[in-house]
Amino acid sequence: MGEITAPIFTRERFLNLRGVRWRIDLGILPSAPGSIEEFRRVAADSRRRYVNLRRQLLIDPHLAKDESVVPDPAVENPLSQNPESTWGQFFRNAELEKEVNQDLSRLYPEIGDFFHDNSIQSMLGRILLVWCLTYPDFGYRQGMHELLAPLLYVLHVDLEFFSQIRNLHEKHFLTEFSTSPVRKKDPFTLTPRILDPEIRELFLLNDAYGAEGELGIILSDKFMEHDAFAMFDTVMHGLDGPVAIAEFYSMAPLADSNAGLTPVREAALSLYHLLSLVDSSLHSHLCELGVEPQYFAMRWLRVLFGRELSLENLLIIWDEIFIYTNETPKGYLTRDLDHISRVLCSSPRGLIILSMAVAMLLYLRPLLLSSEHATTCLQRLMNYPGDVDVKKLIEKARSIQEFALDVYLTSENQLGKRKSGTFLNSPNFWEEKWRVYQENESVHEKKSGNEPVTEKVKKVSIIEKLKRGFSKEKDVSKNNKEKKDRWGTIRRVILNENVVFDSKSVTRGDPSLSDEVTATQVTCNLNGCSNLSDSTESSSGVKKEEEGELEYDEDYKSVLSGIEEMYNQIMKNGPGVNSHNCPYCEVGGNLEVVDKELMAKLRSLGQSMFENIQVIESEVEQSKGMILENVSSATSGGRKKKGVVAALKELRKISSFLSEI
Amino acid sequence: MVLVLALGDLHIPHRAPDLPAKFKSMLVPGKIQHIICTGNLCIKEVHDYLKSLCPDLHITRGEYDEDARYPETKTLTIGQFKLGLCHGHQVVPWGDLDSLAMLQRQLDVDILVTGHTHQFKAYKHEGGVVINPGSATGAYSSITYDVNPSFVLMDIDSLRVVVYVYELIDGEVKVDKIDFKKTATVHS
């Protein structure tokens, strides 16, 4: 073997070693070093920095600072109230330490073997103390320990991994003459025996005799504290980039904040701003309930989601967050928008954090929309479900981030132009699908021949369809049924009320259209379109039957046109998405649900519907007798009766669903 | 790194109303781990006040103490040091070093703390230390009227003890520091 050529590192080399990867991402270790020596040197420098800080700040009043200067007992006594006295500093440190230790004792109890080990706890305590004393403006706030813990953990995991590899290759470290393995033998002579270049490199990085000696070992257990401090410092201070988590802990308003709010509140507002662009109905729902963003965002942002997810998931999320650099891309400025926090919106890392938060909100969307009170919403937000699929969350966050990059950052040339903030600029996926489907159906219907136009036959056919609808509903799963009912209710409600569409001109009264509308389900699980018309037609027919007042054709048609309009309106916004498993929908991303006003209207309609049902029921009771007398032939009358009763039952069910919305 | 406060001969309320204000402002709870008091408090209120400064309180009986349950002498171990406590009126002649040394040998302690003379003294004697914290209130004694309020704070750190003496002279708190190191004697 000749010389060992200098490897070219990129972070890809260290896919197994999260600690090293994060250190490269955060900028502690060089991302494109020329050689192993340089790599090690940078590591050694950062460690030296920590040692100096520690020596300076963790004061032991017993050790004389300077032998030549005799400390004045009047100042340097333990009870001294002189602020300069080292004893005073010592007692202040002791108080801080007490606070820190109290928090640390409660850290990650589920992974107690690691985090509650005494040496680890004291390490964490020292790191936090040194950091807080280095930045006295921030002091120690609860939450910093949660931010620090995973950083230490990944370093520990790396070390374990490395020791495993070392054990595997133990035989290379044995010499012929020694009985015990000689671990510190010069790897330059040994490495020829290790064939895998990556493993060889790993050993070179951790060689005790390489550049900077022991201080340069990349994966060193002696310097875990130092490395963790460096990582913590970078995360908190962002290395001169805009995102500094430390800002979220400060109580003082940012200098350039418009409303004089603290940074964390500004960030929370920008979170809501992004949410409003991505999913305005959820945003307005939350605003209406009075769920202020900082209630939950403060915890999310201060600990970078540490309290919401399990440690494994958290590590994956942080992988994603740290990939993005913290610097504002060159030639880009933040747009001057209201309620935008410079902190989070100026750099890709900030944006991914924001997008991750929005993605998490969207994941909880159905739960949030269904809560009526702010407390339930907050409860759900604060107790984030543990079984969340992190990969999906990350993908969603990525797509939101790309969008956000467009919205918040602009190149200097384009200053002044403002992009519209709709999330999906392409035409709605579902609109396309519905259009295509309609075309197909119309073709199909024309072939099979239209339904007869006469009144009575129509009524019969409607009832047939109703029955078919019911049987179909029984087959479908319960989830779908609920959804269907919900959508069916919208139709029925509108029909019952006849409020919204009382005097619409008949635009399209051809039976072909009506049949389209009554056509069968869409194949996709999403039941926005399915069975709507089925039930609507049937119910309309039934209703007319029961009340027997309105002329069939006219109202039918007007109602139909109303339905059409309603439908189009809804389709534009997109049918509601309730965690269904359709593969199409993930592409489509977020489709907005029916407007908030509509929901409120529906609720009130549900109420009135229930009253109507009661009225109708009583009427039916009365008219039952009448029908039996009037109609001689049993079949159609019987069918009608059955239809009426069944429809009533259905309506009852639906009204209960509606009232639950 | 243990802080031990040694004081005594307060004679509250008979000879003095209270501790000097400057002393009181310095003595805040939370800093001190032990308090040893030579005696002559004299009343329960003073006991309670000292208890509020630190829960670990040791007192020996002085001749004017109203609580008769305090012991005559007391020994305790803090860190590597053995401390002995006695009021001192039992040791005659009062304040005599040799007699106090006898008491120290009798109690077998490294640091002996006694009072009664109302004068601060600190001797290094035969591998041990004899400390008299004086009177914390500056109360007059049987011997003299001219008494400066004083007390002693010991910082015990493994084999080394640093004695800080706080005296109120002309209305100003003066602090002095004395270092004692224990020779690591091996006991069979």
Side-chain angles (χ1 to χ4, degrees):
Chain A
M1 285 289 298
E3 281 178 27
I4 294 170
T5 49
I8 301 166
F9 300 105
T10 48
R11 55 189 307 286
E12 276 66 32
R13 302 285 269 197
F14 298 113
L15 284 174
N16 292 335
L17 299 173
R18 221 185 222 127
V20 187
R21 218 179 339 139
W22 282 11
R23 277 186 276 171
I24 296 179
D25 285 336
L26 290 171
I28 300 165
L29 290 177
S31 51
S35 62
I36 294 184
E37 279 78 22
E38 197 188 316
F39 207 63
R40 293 169 65 110
R41 211 165 295 134
V42 174
D45 281 336
S46 87
R47 288 161 181 177
R48 270 191 270 265
R49 219 178 312 133
Y50 174 67
V51 169
N52 285 336
L53 271 175
R54 191 169 68 175
R55 199 179 305 148
Q56 222 180 335
L57 292 169
L58 292 187
I59 299 168
D60 188 356
H62 294 273
L63 306 171
K65 287 189 273 194
D66 197 347
E67 289 298 338
S68 58
V69 175
V70 176
D72 177 15
V75 172
E76 291 299 331
N77 63 77
L79 296 178
S80 158
Q81 289 167 331
N82 192 322
E84 289 174 0
S85 116
T86 47
W87 280 97
Q89 185 60 43
F90 172 77
F91 282 119
R92 280 192 288 273
N93 288 3
E95 275 189 38
L96 206 59
E97 214 178 310
K98 204 160 68 145
E99 242 186 275
V100 169
N101 283 337
Q102 207 182 30
D103 276 341
L104 283 177
S105 63
R106 297 191 215 132
L107 177 68
Y108 277 122
E110 59 264 19
I111 317 183
D113 331 325
F114 179 67
F115 285 113
H116 287 267
D117 177 43
N118 276 334
S119 60
I120 299 287
Q121 287 251 313
S122 48
M123 223 189 272
L124 289 168
R126 274 197 301 273
I127 297 174
L128 286 168
L129 212 58
V130 172
W131 193 89
C132 296
L133 293 172
T134 320
Y135 301 100
D137 307 329
F138 290 110
Y140 174 73
R141 292 266 146 70
Q142 195 182 45
M144 293 183 179
H145 65 301
E146 299 253 0
L147 206 57
L148 172 62
L151 299 173
L152 198 61
Y153 184 72
V154 299
L155 287 172
H156 173 80
V157 166
D158 276 359
L159 277 172
E160 300 239 327
F161 178 76
F162 180 62
S163 66
Q164 271 174 11
I165 293 193
R166 195 197 290 218
N167 288 337
L168 277 176
H169 293 264
E170 211 179 51
K171 54 188 191 296
H172 294 291
F173 290 100
L174 284 171
T175 66
E176 297 87 20
F177 302 103
S178 64
T179 44
S180 63
V182 175
R183 292 195 190 281
K184 295 207 173 173
K185 199 148 193 303
D186 185 359
F188 278 94
T189 57
L190 287 175
T191 43
R193 296 196 221 175
I194 302 172
L195 300 174
D196 186 350
E198 284 203 14
I199 308 252
R200 192 191 315 150
E201 203 174 82
L202 203 59
F203 279 118
L204 278 178
L205 280 176
N206 296 313
D207 179 24
Y209 294 105
E212 302 278 4
E214 285 207 356
L215 204 63
I217 301 179
I218 300 292
L219 297 173
S220 157
D221 56 350
K222 290 193 205 141
F223 298 112
M224 240 164 64
E225 196 179 325
H226 309 59
D227 294 332
F229 176 80
M231 289 208 284
F232 182 63
D233 194 21
T234 335
V235 169
M236 290 293 266
H237 265 274
L239 249 186
D240 302 324
V243 179
I245 307 291
E247 299 248 321
F248 293 143
Y249 287 97
S250 84
M251 291 293 151
L254 267 181
D256 55 350
S257 117
N258 296 336
L261 292 173
T262 56
V264 64
R265 289 192 67 179
E266 290 246 321
L269 280 175
S270 54
L271 168 64
Y272 256 26
H273 186 262
L274 183 58
L275 180 65
S276 67
L277 293 176
V278 167
D279 184 352
S280 70
S281 55
L282 180 59
H283 174 252
S284 39
H285 174 81
L286 288 172
C287 285
E288 266 196 35
L289 287 185
V291 177
E292 298 260 324
Q294 59 265 20
Y295 297 152
F296 57 91
M298 178 141 60
R299 194 169 79 174
W300 287 12
L301 294 171
R302 276 188 176 177
V303 196
L304 271 189
F305 313 112
R307 292 244 88 208
E308 321 302 322
L309 307 161
S310 68
L311 189 58
E312 294 82 32
N313 286 343
L314 184 69
L315 295 179
I316 301 174
I317 298 260
W318 280 21
D319 274 344
E320 188 64 28
I321 293 183
F322 291 149
I323 286 179
Y324 295 91
T325 146
N326 198 14
E327 296 147 5
T328 318
K330 291 212 174 59
Y332 275 77
L333 296 172
T334 340
R335 280 185 214 265
D336 194 18
L337 301 166
D338 290 332
H339 300 304
I340 298 304
S341 154
R342 302 275 167 279
V343 174
L344 274 191
C345 298
S346 322
S347 76
R349 190 180 295 166
L351 286 174
I352 186 72
I353 295 177
L354 259 188
S355 325
M356 194 70 71
V358 172
M360 284 168 70
L361 277 174
L362 290 173
Y363 180 81
L364 281 185
R365 190 174 199 266
L367 289 172
L368 290 175
L369 283 173
S370 60
S371 338
E372 279 195 4
H373 301 290
T375 25
T376 16
C377 269
L378 277 174
Q379 258 174 3
R380 290 188 170 137
L381 285 166
M382 301 294 257
N383 303 323
Y384 208 79
D387 56 351
V388 58
D389 185 353
V390 216
K391 300 256 164 52
K392 281 205 192 139
L393 215 55
I394 290 181
E395 278 168 28
K396 208 180 259 191
R398 273 196 203 141
S399 59
I400 299 178
Q401 195 226 12
E402 279 165 21
F403 164 69
L405 265 170
D406 272 335
V407 173
Y408 291 122
L409 292 178
T410 171
S411 74
E412 284 168 332
N413 325 331
Q414 290 180 17
L415 251 171
K417 270 194 256 175
R418 189 174 168 156
K419 240 190 197 174
S420 66
T422 49
F423 185 38
L424 295 173
N425 290 325
S426 57
N428 196 317
F429 171 77
W430 289 109
E431 276 185 345
E432 296 284 343
K433 205 152 175 26
W434 177 244
R435 218 177 299 144
V436 165
Y437 177 77
Q438 268 193 348
E439 285 162 11
N440 288 343
E441 273 302 314
S442 62
V443 168
H444 176 71
E445 284 296 334
K446 281 188 175 110
K447 281 186 199 163
S448 62
N450 294 331
E451 300 270 84
V453 192
T454 56
E455 253 186 62
K456 280 192 184 156
V457 183
K458 250 196 187 158
K459 282 189 197 166
V460 167
S461 68
I462 299 300
I463 295 167
E464 295 283 355
K465 279 182 192 151
L466 170 66
K467 283 200 186 142
R468 245 188 292 144
F470 285 151
S471 58
K472 272 179 215 150
E473 276 183 349
K474 280 179 206 151
D475 299 337
V476 178
S477 67
K478 214 165 189 194
N479 276 348
N480 292 340
K481 186 167 188 175
E482 270 181 42
K483 286 180 219 157
K484 251 189 265 185
D485 284 340
R486 200 169 277 172
W487 281 100
T489 60
I490 296 172
R491 302 287 170 258
R492 288 172 218 202
V493 154
I494 292 157
L495 290 173
N496 272 344
E497 284 300 297
N498 270 344
V499 170
V500 188
F501 313 101
D502 39 24
S503 59
K504 295 281 183 208
S505 58
V506 178
T507 48
R508 304 182 235 187
D510 29 318
S512 58
L513 185 67
S514 68
D515 293 326
E516 275 173 2
V517 175
T518 61
T520 50
Q521 301 100 327
V522 183
T523 47
C524 171
N525 283 346
L526 178 65
N527 297 305
C529 5
S530 68
N531 260 7
L532 300 162
S533 348
D534 253 345
S535 346
T536 55
E537 292 324 299
S538 40
S539 67
S540 76
V542 166
K543 185 171 194 248
K544 302 303 168 275
E545 233 175 43
E546 291 157 8
E547 300 195 348
E549 334 167 273
L550 307 163
E551 225 229 312
Y552 189 78
D553 263 323
E554 208 186 85
D555 275 301
Y556 180 67
K557 282 176 188 168
S558 71
V559 160
L560 263 183
S561 62
I563 296 166
E564 257 300 304
E565 288 213 17
M566 180 70 196
Y567 202 80
N568 284 336
Q569 186 195 359
I570 286 170
M571 285 312 271
K572 255 183 237 140
N573 300 334
V577 167
N578 288 332
S579 66
H580 55 275
N581 306 322
C582 164
Y584 306 118
C585 305
E586 291 182 10
V587 169
N590 307 309
L591 304 171
E592 290 170 29
V593 124
V594 179
D595 280 320
K596 196 74 179 65
E597 300 89 65
L598 193 62
M599 297 296 277
K601 215 184 265 174
L602 285 175
R603 261 180 243 134
S604 58
L605 291 183
Q607 290 293 343
S608 47
M609 188 181 184
F610 195 79
E611 289 156 15
N612 277 334
I613 287 170
Q614 287 174 327
V615 167
I616 291 162
E617 279 206 289
S618 57
E619 275 186 24
V620 166
E621 289 302 311
Q622 291 169 7
S623 60
K624 246 188 215 173
M626 283 166 58
I627 290 173
L628 283 174
E629 287 159 20
N630 292 345
V631 180
S632 51
S633 71
T635 46
S636 63
R639 256 188 263 151
K640 273 187 206 162
K641 203 183 99 185
K642 273 187 214 159
V644 166
V645 170
L648 271 176
K649 246 190 270 169
E650 196 55 30
L651 280 173
R652 201 162 260 253
K653 234 187 293 170
I654 283 130
S655 74
S656 59
F657 278 126
L658 251 192
S659 50
E660 281 166 26
I661 291 175
Chain B
M1 228 283 309
V2 180
L3 291 179
V4 183
L5 176 69
L7 75 168
D9 290 320
L10 295 115
H11 288 279
I12 297 171
H14 310 292
R15 302 187 193 175
D18 200 0
L19 282 168
K22 293 205 168 162
F23 280 359
K24 264 200 143 159
S25 66
M26 284 205 295
L27 293 173
V28 287
K31 289 188 182 173
I32 299 166
Q33 276 83 49
H34 304 275
I35 299 187
I36 52 182
C37 185
T38 54
N40 274 343
L41 291 178
C42 306
I43 46 176
K44 187 173 174 300
E45 278 78 356
V46 183
H47 177 104
D48 292 337
Y49 166 71
L50 290 177
K51 202 77 181 188
S52 77
L53 287 182
C54 162
D56 192 27
L57 177 60
H58 304 275
I59 313 183
T60 48
R61 179 130 196 256
E63 73 266 44
Y64 289 100
D65 266 318
E66 300 199 353
D67 190 341
R69 292 169 303 173
Y70 299 140
E72 294 281 327
T73 62
K74 207 165 193 187
T75 54
L76 54 150
T77 310
I78 295 175
Q80 303 278 359
F81 286 93
K82 283 190 283 201
L83 284 91
L85 186 62
C86 176
H87 179 243
H89 68 273
Q90 305 95 330
V91 179
V92 177
W94 294 339
D96 180 41
L97 180 58
D98 290 323
S99 317
L100 289 173
M102 273 202 312
L103 179 61
Q104 188 186 18
R105 283 191 294 272
Q106 192 177 17
L107 295 174
D108 188 24
V109 288
D110 301 311
I111 303 174
L112 179 66
V113 180
T114 53
H116 186 58
T117 60
H118 297 210
Q119 299 281 340
F120 163 72
K121 289 277 188 309
Y123 302 109
K124 205 166 167 189
H125 182 84
E126 285 175 13
V129 174
V130 177
I131 297 179
N132 187 328
S135 162
T137 50
Y140 59 85
S141 76
S142 332
I143 311 169
T144 169
Y145 275 107
D146 183 17
V147 176
N148 284 324
S150 65
F151 67 89
V152 157
L153 184 70
M154 291 188 280
D155 176 13
I156 297 179
D157 186 26
S158 62
L159 285 172
R160 178 174 161 230
V161 61
V162 181
V163 177
Y164 294 93
V165 184
Y166 297 81
E167 270 183 295
L168 193 69
I169 300 172
D170 299 329
E172 285 300 319
V173 178
K174 300 262 188 309
V175 187
D176 207 359
K177 187 169 118 168
I178 306 164
D179 247 315
F180 290 116
K181 274 205 185 59
K182 175 179 174 176
T183 49
T185 48
V186 179
H187 294 278
S188 53

